[in-house]
Amino acid sequence: MKTRRKQHSTMAQSSLLQGKRFYCREWVFHKIQHCLQEKSDDLGGATGTPAKQPAPVKGGNSWGVLLVGGPGSGKTALCTELLWPTSAQGTQRGLHQRGLAFHFCRADDSDTTCVAGFVRRLVAQICRGGLVPGYEEKVRDPAVQGALQPGECERNPTEAFKRCVLLPLLSAKPPPQALFLLVDSVDQGGQLGEAEQRSPADSPRTIAELLATHQQFLPPWLLLVCSARRQNKAITKLFTGVWIRSVGSGCLQECGSDPC
């Protein structure tokens, strides 16, 4: 049983397409690179300040990127290439070095769509990556660790996300350049586990709901990059007032203001 759970955890933190050659759509990578540069330019003299409660980011910096397309259009392949480039051009571009954390949701694997599991994997990846100095020390605090404990995190994933992801990132010194958080197939999921059914009424049922309700609280140096099926109207409705326009062929949208 432990081996099976470990395999599921690994699948959520990787892609089944890893290592497969990716072709075309260079414009998407250029767009993401441009958005990251915009956020880096906006960092200016930003410094980390202690935070007790997350507050909406000021100055129109709480925007991100949503990749949409039909089934089989290459959304997961594109996300995979962003993290593990297979071409010399992709490696030279260096976007993979700016990934703070990532998550791949799969409809056939409930572990990958579990909100509590998503939060725990984010914390683990951010700690391992070392891209935000001081983050690991902050989440070692017993009070913070308590929110990640089995059962507690399932009952209140929102509180775990705030205390273990948002607040430590907001109070840490900003990295020298903007980073991105990638969530592939964010429209997958919706089936709750037994523990999550006992969650507070306002607790998010899906990873998409968690991100949509807290996207404005992400630090200004973090670019949220998600992918979803174009025909999923629920996702469009969920991000109403946030995801605002199409770019190019219509398979890339931005959220928030119009910086790119």
Side-chain angles (χ1 to χ4, degrees):
M1 181 63 71
K2 289 184 179 180
T3 301
R4 185 178 180 181
R5 288 179 179 175
K6 183 177 181 181
Q7 290 175 340
H8 283 173
S9 177
T10 301
M11 290 166 64
Q13 297 180 39
S14 62
S15 167
L16 297 178
L17 300 180
Q18 188 174 348
K20 293 187 177 181
R21 192 64 185 264
F22 182 84
Y23 300 93
C24 303
R25 298 186 182 170
E26 284 296 319
W27 68 271
V28 178
F29 300 114
H30 287 304
K31 186 68 178 180
I32 294 175
Q33 190 168 35
H34 180 68
C35 289
L36 284 169
Q37 186 58 51
E38 287 285 337
K39 280 188 172 285
S40 293
D41 292 343
D42 289 341
L43 284 176
T47 58
T49 57
K52 294 183 179 181
Q53 290 294 332
V57 176
K58 298 180 180 180
N61 288 323
S62 59
W63 47 271
V65 173
L66 176 65
L67 301 165
V68 296
S73 61
K75 299 181 297 298
T76 297
L78 194 151
C79 291
T80 303
E81 181 67 14
L82 182 61
L83 293 167
W84 301 286
T86 58
S87 67
Q89 184 177 7
T91 302
Q92 184 177 10
R93 188 184 298 112
L95 288 176
H96 60 291
Q97 298 175 343
R98 301 174 70 173
L100 178 68
F102 57 86
H103 188 85
F104 288 82
C105 301
R106 293 181 55 198
D108 60 349
D109 186 351
S110 60
D111 280 3
T112 68
T113 58
C114 171
V115 181
F118 169 69
V119 175
R120 290 197 187 94
R121 292 181 185 108
L122 287 188
V123 174
Q125 287 189 54
I126 298 173
C127 286
R128 286 198 305 267
L131 294 176
V132 183
Y135 173 84
E136 186 173 6
E137 181 180 352
K138 294 177 184 297
V139 297
R140 283 178 180 173
D141 186 305
V144 175
Q145 283 295 312
L148 292 173
Q149 293 304 306
E152 183 59 33
C153 190
E154 279 73 13
R155 281 188 293 270
N156 199 342
T158 296
E159 185 64 17
F161 187 68
K162 290 179 180 178
R163 293 172 61 181
C164 306
V165 178
L166 289 181
L167 291 178
L169 290 179
L170 287 168
S171 62
K173 181 180 179 180
Q177 59 182 358
L179 307 175
F180 67 84
L181 166 61
L182 173 70
V183 182
D184 178 52
S185 301
V186 72
D187 56 322
Q188 299 292 353
Q191 297 298 321
L192 301 182
E194 182 179 350
E196 289 180 303
Q197 290 179 346
R198 296 193 294 270
S199 301
D202 60 347
S203 184
R205 296 173 300 167
T206 65
I207 293 173
E209 288 182 359
L210 178 71
L211 292 174
T213 54
H214 293 88
Q215 189 267 343
Q216 62 179 323
F217 301 110
L218 293 175
W221 47 262
L222 186 60
L223 178 71
L224 177 62
V225 181
C226 297
S227 74
R229 291 166 295 182
R230 176 183 289 117
Q231 69 272 26
N232 193 313
K233 302 301 182 182
I235 291 296
T236 303
K237 183 178 180 180
L238 186 64
F239 288 101
T240 296
V242 180
W243 310 95
I244 63 171
R245 76 180 182 89
S246 298
V247 178
S249 63
C251 65
L252 179 63
Q253 295 182 339
E254 296 171 21
C255 65
S257 57
D258 187 18
C260 296

